[in-house]
Amino acid sequence: MESILLGHGSGGKLMHELLDGFVLKELDNDILRKKMDSGIFSMGNKRIAFTTDSYVVNPVVFPGGDIGSLAVYGTVNDLSVCGAKPLYISLGVIIEEGLERRLLERIVRSIKEALKRSGVLVVTGDTKVVEKGSCDKIFINTAGIGEVYYEGLSTNSIRPGDSVIVNGPIGEHAISVLSKREGMEFETGISSDAAPLNGLIAKVLKASGKVRLMRDPTRGGIATTLNEMVMGMPFGIAVDESEVPVSKAVKSASELLGLDSLYLACEGRVIVVTAPEDEKKVLRAMKADGLGRSARCIGRVTREHKGRVWLNMASGGRRILDMLSGEQLPRIC
């Protein structure tokens, strides 16, 4: 590798090669090694989750949201899928010289509304302005802290036979951003699914004490996220294509653009792996929440095909569902 490519930020194979092959080796420690969406550690008698993320989405405003609400929801969700109650967020903003004040005001108000919806506070921050051309309008970095209330979420907890559940239709965020970026208008308007998952997840964890793992399928979509779950593990996952919820609008847009919806980014979706006897409990809890009314069990953990994800195709037959190898859609979050 002579230089860094866009694909190294895709969430797929290239990113994992960069992180596992170099970054994690240099910065290795017990917490980082677990490669969870948040670092989990003890402070006194409490268990704390700590996460950080940067947002460089293009365009900064898209159907269903903008870079401000996206930054809040993304941080809240990274804490929530680790069994933590999100509490506090930091906000770092890098602004390009020449940004319209009106756009900045819109983004700040959007952050305010997203914080209110999520039940968290911004408690510290930083602002930098850089020369025109040094960044694209505005970049945002957030860090979040939450208190862990549900322990034991880990790939090591997963067992063959476990159910794999998703709370709603996939790919809506990616298509929303792409349609705005390219000036496309589809027959049915597609809005980003960006939303805070802490409320829905709290209901799920209250309903079931047998949730093994949760992940939010952002970059690389559900296909890449599922591959991260099985990587190097003594089990595989079989996904039923006919059970994966995809709206007609996203399906049509994906076919038109030559995209695979299984690799499209989501920002309001969670994949839950749970013991099979609690599958119905988890689905009921999800469906009782507005963000989970279309929840479905999309597959099972299997003893076969260790370290692999298989897709049982709706048309018959099976194929390997591999991790995203490059960058399907850059600057999506």
Side-chain angles (χ1 to χ4, degrees):
M1 180 178 63
E2 296 291 332
S3 57
I4 301 300
L5 308 173
L6 271 176
H8 285 108
S10 67
K13 283 184 177 179
L14 288 178
M15 190 188 80
H16 282 275
E17 289 173 2
L18 176 64
L19 294 180
D20 294 339
F22 174 66
V23 177
L24 293 179
K25 286 184 178 180
E26 295 294 321
L27 306 179
D28 184 51
N29 61 65
D30 290 342
I31 298 172
L32 198 59
R33 199 175 303 136
K34 294 177 182 177
K35 294 194 286 188
M36 297 288 284
D37 289 291
S38 304
I40 308 292
F41 51 90
S42 297
M43 290 188 69
N45 60 355
K46 293 185 177 181
R47 294 282 283 165
I48 300 298
F50 179 45
T51 191
T52 187
D53 210 340
S54 299
Y55 298 85
V56 296
V57 63
N58 174 34
V60 297
V61 178
F62 45 85
D66 57 45
I67 193 171
S69 57
L70 182 66
V72 173
Y73 296 150
T75 304
V76 165
N77 295 345
D78 280 346
L79 293 168
S80 300
V81 296
C82 292
K85 178 183 179 181
L87 297 172
Y88 306 110
I89 290 178
S90 73
L91 182 68
V93 182
I94 300 174
I95 303 169
E96 182 185 26
E97 177 189 18
L99 182 76
E100 293 182 6
R101 182 183 177 93
R102 183 170 52 184
L103 177 57
L104 179 61
E105 289 174 349
R106 175 204 163 118
I107 292 169
V108 172
R109 291 193 183 103
S110 178
I111 290 171
K112 179 180 178 181
E113 289 301 312
L115 292 167
K116 183 178 179 181
R117 185 180 177 189
S118 305
V120 298
L121 298 173
V122 166
V123 294
T124 188
D126 181 54
T127 303
K128 295 289 189 297
V129 178
V130 297
E131 296 88 348
K132 193 170 185 64
S134 297
C135 78
D136 188 358
K137 295 186 176 66
I138 183 170
F139 294 162
I140 295 179
N141 172 269
T142 55
I145 291 178
E147 186 173 348
V148 177
Y149 64 94
Y150 190 100
E151 295 277 5
L153 296 171
S154 168
T155 51
N156 293 321
S157 299
I158 296 175
R159 299 289 181 267
D162 284 347
S163 303
V164 180
I165 296 170
V166 68
N167 67 306
I170 63 170
E172 293 175 347
H173 174 71
I175 296 298
S176 166
V177 172
L178 181 63
S179 65
K180 181 67 174 181
R181 182 187 301 172
E182 302 299 334
M184 299 176 181
E185 292 187 10
F186 299 107
E187 291 184 13
T188 304
I190 301 172
S191 293
S192 171
D193 60 4
L197 294 168
N198 47 333
L200 178 143
I201 287 173
K203 291 175 183 176
V204 167
L205 297 181
K206 183 178 180 181
S208 171
K210 297 182 180 180
V211 172
R212 317 290 202 196
L213 185 70
M214 297 184 291
R215 289 284 170 86
D216 54 333
T218 53
R219 292 173 299 173
I222 67 168
T224 296
T225 302
L226 292 173
N227 270 280
E228 289 173 346
M229 291 181 181
V230 302
M231 190 182 302
M233 302 304 293
F235 54 76
I237 291 177
V239 176
D240 295 322
E241 185 178 31
S242 60
E243 295 299 323
V244 178
V246 188
S247 71
K248 289 182 180 179
V250 168
K251 191 174 293 185
S252 298
S254 298
E255 291 174 355
L256 177 66
L257 298 169
L259 301 172
D260 188 335
S261 57
L262 295 170
Y263 292 92
L264 294 176
C266 309
E267 290 291 344
R269 301 292 175 247
V270 58
I271 296 173
V272 175
V273 181
T274 187
E277 60 267 26
D278 273 20
E279 176 186 321
K280 291 182 179 180
K281 291 181 182 179
V282 170
L283 286 170
R284 276 198 301 269
M286 284 187 173
K287 290 176 184 291
D289 188 281
L291 296 175
R293 287 174 185 157
S294 300
R296 302 276 286 274
C297 178
I298 63 170
R300 306 280 173 190
V301 178
T302 174
R303 296 182 188 279
E304 299 177 299
H305 318 303
K306 298 176 181 178
R308 289 284 194 178
V309 179
W310 282 80
L311 183 68
N312 296 320
M313 301 171 66
S315 58
R318 297 188 300 173
R319 69 177 175 91
I320 293 175
L321 197 60
D322 210 346
M323 185 176 286
L324 183 67
S325 58
E327 180 71 89
Q328 184 170 226
L329 295 173
R331 301 282 302 281
I332 213 73
C333 60

